[in-house]
Amino acid sequence: DKIAFKIRNNELDMLGANWTVSGGNKIILGKKYIGIDSLVFSDGYRSINLSDIRKEGIQGHLKNFDFLIINGIIDYKKIQFAGEGEVKMKVESIFSDPVINGLMDIPSFTLNNEDYGRLLIKATDRNEGFINTLVTLNNPDNRMNVYLEADYVKDEKYLNGKLDIDNLPLDIFEFMIEDGISLTSGTTNIDAGIFGPLEDLTLIGEGKLNDAATRVNYLGNYITIGNEPIRIGNEVIDFTGVTIRDKYNNVADLEGGFVHNLFKDFGLDLTINSDRFLALDTDKSDNPMYYGQGIGEVEVSFVGPINSTDIEVTAGMSEGSILNIPIEDSYEDFDESFIKFVDRKALDMDTLDQ
């Protein structure tokens, strides 16, 4: 009532390499019976080991795999995920009520070639209608800790989870906001819920910035934020009420924030207001059309996608401001109406006539 067979040691071409099969392997199948002995596939570095669990289940162990495949799953072009590690899978009691356990362990998980620590992903399906998933990412060097636990309801295709993040380096946003910011420092803590259908997830929570600072590249000004609360949703990272300081310790208030689609397609809908603030701090290498240092009463609005943000600066220049506008024969794609001069006495800080 049982059938026994073996896999011959012929070379297999898969996953971009030639694989061989261990000699002496044996597979035995019968009624409510499965036996797997000494079945190992190897390409000389990576290996796949298959065996039975008490003659009623199957387990697999993948070693030394490079998980560049994650990029195809996540499909987030601004960040390249990589790391080498192992995967373990178990299917117990396959002939009655199967219990499925999976584990992915990547000791050194990198984002754009930067090490973010050890990534562990555990998933369990106890045949109770949902899959429990636990994701952790830990880096002892900077005390960063990411913890996500979620239940996926299979029939409803609905996710319900909790996300906790401690000491996430803020410079990760330089990957997402290309050329928009630089010299970013500090960390953030996040406490959020993530729920909904997989194709339309909702993220709602709160965060805190810790000793945050960054440079707004287009304006050149380096701002410090300190320790401030923020609100997080799947469409906006809201900085309303946050206070920032320029390099002279002048203070400004923020309203609005980064708009996004669950951390994709970043844009801005942000306004900076201050009675006195360094709004411009550039030289000719930053922007040859106009550059210098502009300080005074200011309202700066940022609207639109990160790579083509509309920046409108309404400012009253104070002592110490220097604005350079070189006179050249021509500029490519230059709109000479991009800057307007008005009589200070007629200046309305709310609107400028077009």
Side-chain angles (χ1 to χ4, degrees):
D1 59 349
K2 295 183 179 68
I3 300 174
F5 60 93
K6 66 178 296 183
I7 299 177
R8 292 182 177 179
N9 190 16
N10 294 327
E11 288 190 351
L12 302 175
D13 187 6
M14 61 181 184
L15 300 175
N18 292 322
W19 293 69
T20 59
V21 185
S22 58
N25 68 81
K26 182 186 293 186
I27 301 174
I28 304 173
L29 300 178
K31 185 177 181 180
K32 295 186 178 182
Y33 181 97
I34 182 168
I36 304 175
D37 296 323
S38 303
L39 183 55
V40 180
F41 300 86
S42 176
D43 68 351
Y45 181 67
R46 296 173 293 180
S47 66
I48 303 173
N49 190 325
L50 299 177
S51 60
D52 65 76
I53 303 173
R54 298 183 299 276
K55 309 304 180 184
E56 61 178 8
I58 301 174
Q59 60 185 353
H61 189 183
L62 287 68
K63 297 181 181 179
N64 302 327
F65 273 76
D66 192 325
F67 291 96
L68 289 171
I69 190 174
I70 294 175
N71 293 297
I73 298 172
I74 298 178
D75 191 26
Y76 190 60
K77 294 179 175 58
K78 294 182 183 295
I79 299 179
Q80 291 296 306
F81 303 90
E84 187 176 278
E86 62 179 350
V87 172
K88 295 181 179 179
M89 291 290 296
K90 290 183 178 182
V91 183
E92 302 183 61
S93 305
I94 62 175
F95 303 109
S96 54
D97 294 318
V99 175
I100 303 173
N101 287 284
L103 169 68
M104 177 186 291
D105 184 357
I106 304 177
S108 179
F109 184 64
T110 64
L111 282 64
N112 291 357
N113 298 317
E114 292 191 18
D115 190 350
Y116 275 76
R118 184 181 187 184
L119 174 66
L120 285 173
I121 302 176
K122 299 178 182 179
T124 301
D125 184 352
R126 299 185 180 278
N127 203 25
E128 296 174 345
F130 66 92
I131 301 172
N132 178 259
T133 303
L134 176 64
V135 180
T136 62
L137 180 62
N138 298 288
N139 189 338
D141 293 337
N142 59 12
R143 297 183 295 112
M144 184 198 73
N145 180 56
V146 178
Y147 181 94
L148 169 64
E149 184 170 12
D151 289 332
Y152 176 65
V153 182
K154 292 185 288 185
D155 288 344
E156 300 177 14
K157 298 181 180 180
Y158 189 93
L159 187 76
N160 188 15
K162 184 77 169 59
L163 176 65
D164 289 310
I165 300 177
D166 293 323
N167 299 315
L168 178 70
L170 287 169
D171 59 8
I172 192 175
F173 288 97
E174 293 185 8
F175 298 151
M176 307 175 191
I177 308 168
E178 292 181 297
D179 301 323
I181 57 176
S182 60
L183 303 176
T184 305
S185 61
T187 63
T188 184
N189 300 340
I190 295 173
D191 183 3
I194 181 167
F195 53 90
L198 290 182
E199 66 275 10
D200 189 25
L201 287 173
T202 296
L203 177 71
I204 297 177
E206 298 179 345
K208 182 184 178 184
L209 303 175
N210 307 309
D211 299 320
T214 194
R215 180 183 189 265
V216 182
N217 291 337
Y218 193 77
L219 299 178
N221 50 349
Y222 183 78
I223 59 174
T224 56
I225 305 174
N227 303 318
E228 294 278 354
I230 58 175
R231 287 164 295 280
I232 299 170
N234 56 321
E235 295 181 349
V236 64
I237 302 174
D238 190 359
F239 292 92
T240 298
V242 169
T243 298
I244 64 174
R245 296 178 182 272
D246 64 19
K247 67 181 184 181
Y248 300 118
N249 211 33
N250 297 308
V251 175
D253 297 319
L254 302 185
E255 182 177 353
F258 288 109
V259 293
H260 62 99
N261 180 16
L262 205 61
F263 296 98
K264 292 183 179 180
D265 306 322
F266 267 89
L268 279 166
D269 186 3
L270 178 68
T271 302
I272 300 174
N273 285 286
S274 177
D275 293 334
R276 180 177 176 82
F277 199 76
L278 181 62
L280 182 70
D281 192 15
T282 58
D283 57 31
K284 192 172 184 179
S285 65
D286 294 312
N287 186 346
M289 288 194 299
Y290 64 94
Y291 57 92
Q293 189 174 87
I295 189 169
E297 184 178 359
V298 64
E299 178 181 299
V300 185
S301 67
F302 303 83
V303 179
I306 289 296
N307 58 356
S308 58
T309 304
D310 292 329
I311 303 176
E312 181 175 324
V313 181
T314 306
M317 295 291 191
S318 298
E319 182 179 353
S321 297
I322 301 174
L323 180 62
N324 299 281
I325 307 177
I327 304 300
E328 302 287 350
D329 291 337
S330 65
Y331 280 110
E332 185 178 355
D333 296 329
F334 174 67
D335 179 359
E336 63 183 12
S337 66
F338 79 102
I339 187 168
K340 297 182 179 181
F341 295 93
V342 298
D343 187 334
R344 177 189 291 269
K345 296 179 181 179
L347 182 64
D348 181 347
M349 292 301 294
D350 294 323
T351 61
L352 286 176
D353 293 335
Q354 302 296 316

